[in-house]
Amino acid sequence: MSGFPKDAMRMLKETSRTFYIPITFLQKELKYSVASAYLVFRAIDEIEDHEEIDNDAKYTILMQVGDLFKRPFNNEEYLRILGPTKEQLPEVSLRLEEWLQACPKDALPIVTNAAYEMACGMAKWAKANWSIRTREDLDDYTYYVAGLVGVMLSDLWELYGEEKTDRDLAIGYGRGLQAVNILRNQKEDLDERGVSFVPEGWNRAELFKYAEENLAKADQYMKSLNKRSIILFCRLPLALAHKTLKALKEGREKMSRAEVEQTVEEVQTN
């Protein structure tokens, strides 16, 4: 993969096998843009998710990092913003500047706009201790952590792949994947972080329904795609989400490794 840092692909593989494989299906500029965007988002996400950083500190850091995306990125300022918390953060967060430098110049404004929006949205929810009371709250949270990624991808498909897609369906795609993650990690989030992403008065069945409604939008989104490499990219995370949802409904914690591998095979051969 000349023209893109090998180490960035190593980091991508280490942080997410789910997205590493579909990213390799994409053609050059799209591959590099989506890979660098994923690492940028992961860098921010690790700050939002960190168990040992308190919510007020998360809010301050994420808002200030968000502002950095509005101008040429200054790494010294970034490290100053992180301050002592940088000792607690993983490599992917500390090397944020490198992921931005790896992004093709045409795509960089699309990626940094999305990163700005994500950082500010995550900051808001960290400050609110992820207190999700209503469906509107859940929609808002899942937009900032996943729906806006769908919009960014749609913008990149248009820039490099001449694909025009419905942004609302793209948001549904992101929300659907995130809803499955919430279902899968519900107990862990509560036990380890003391956080519940489930609206007040909802039971698990309503959360399943929410996931299914958004995955139906994702299925619709797929029908609008024409370029094979983009279809392959979008197909794998969605297939894994559908099958994970099925496994959860059957009372299992997740898909087996064998099922994941089989799904990867199916996506590439269909």
Side-chain angles (χ1 to χ4, degrees):
M1 298 190 66
S2 62
F4 193 78
K6 272 203 179 75
D7 205 44
M9 292 312 288
R10 173 192 66 80
M11 182 63 69
L12 187 66
K13 198 171 188 176
E14 280 179 18
T15 49
S16 177
R17 285 186 169 274
T18 308
F19 281 99
Y20 173 78
I21 296 166
I23 284 171
T24 63
F25 298 154
L26 294 169
Q27 287 161 342
K28 195 176 165 185
E29 282 88 358
L30 269 178
K31 187 187 292 181
Y32 301 162
S33 305
V34 177
S36 61
Y38 179 84
L39 289 167
V40 168
F41 297 158
R42 186 62 186 243
I44 307 168
D45 188 49
E46 290 285 356
I47 300 168
E48 187 234 11
D49 259 358
H50 206 286
E51 289 166 29
E52 289 161 35
I53 302 170
D54 74 59
N55 289 349
D56 286 339
K58 285 179 180 180
Y59 174 78
T60 304
I61 291 168
L62 287 165
M63 287 302 286
Q64 289 180 359
V65 170
D67 285 341
L68 286 184
F69 291 123
K70 284 303 205 186
R71 52 188 191 272
F73 193 80
N74 181 324
N75 200 50
E76 277 180 32
E77 198 176 337
Y78 174 61
L79 294 175
R80 183 189 59 71
I81 289 165
L82 294 183
T85 60
K86 62 176 174 281
E87 307 302 326
Q88 298 161 286
L89 291 168
E91 189 185 353
V92 70
S93 297
L94 301 179
R95 296 174 64 188
L96 176 55
E97 181 186 41
E98 290 176 54
W99 317 141
L100 289 166
Q101 286 171 346
C103 187
K105 292 291 170 278
D106 291 349
L108 193 59
I110 293 171
V111 172
T112 52
N113 281 341
Y116 165 77
E117 203 178 352
M118 181 182 280
C120 296
M122 283 181 168
K124 177 181 80 169
W125 280 106
K127 193 172 194 177
N129 194 32
W130 303 277
S131 175
I132 288 170
R133 295 195 166 90
T134 63
R135 183 187 172 117
E136 287 70 34
D137 288 344
L138 182 59
D139 273 345
D140 190 75
Y141 172 73
T142 53
Y143 170 75
Y144 283 117
V145 295
L148 70 80
V149 179
V151 175
M152 180 210 70
L153 289 171
S154 282
D155 290 343
L156 291 176
W157 305 155
E158 201 166 327
L159 177 66
Y160 291 122
E162 294 166 1
E163 287 273 29
K164 279 193 87 68
T165 48
D166 184 308
R167 299 305 189 263
D168 286 337
L169 296 180
I171 292 168
Y173 183 112
R175 277 201 182 117
L177 299 193
Q178 189 62 29
V180 173
N181 277 343
I182 289 170
L183 277 159
R184 191 162 59 95
N185 300 324
Q186 197 176 352
K187 188 178 183 302
E188 197 182 307
D189 287 331
L190 205 52
D191 293 351
E192 291 178 18
R193 292 173 63 193
V195 169
S196 171
F197 297 102
V198 185
E200 287 173 6
W202 277 32
N203 56 29
R204 203 159 157 84
E206 281 161 306
L207 201 50
F208 272 111
K209 187 167 177 281
Y210 180 83
E212 283 162 355
E213 281 172 15
N214 281 293
L215 289 179
K217 288 184 179 177
D219 291 335
Q220 221 177 318
Y221 179 79
M222 291 299 302
K223 289 175 187 165
S224 68
L225 298 171
N226 300 299
K227 210 174 178 73
R228 179 164 165 75
S229 57
I230 293 173
I231 291 168
L232 283 174
F233 171 88
C234 294
R235 194 188 278 160
L236 181 57
L238 184 55
L240 291 170
H242 275 299
K243 290 190 178 188
T244 299
L245 201 62
K246 184 174 179 286
L248 292 170
K249 279 190 161 178
E250 290 165 0
R252 294 188 285 146
E253 278 184 29
K254 57 182 181 182
M255 291 169 70
S256 69
R257 172 54 55 194
E259 284 175 304
V260 172
E261 285 167 5
Q262 187 192 344
T263 307
V264 173
E265 288 282 312
E266 283 170 5
V267 162
Q268 292 179 77
T269 51
N270 285 354

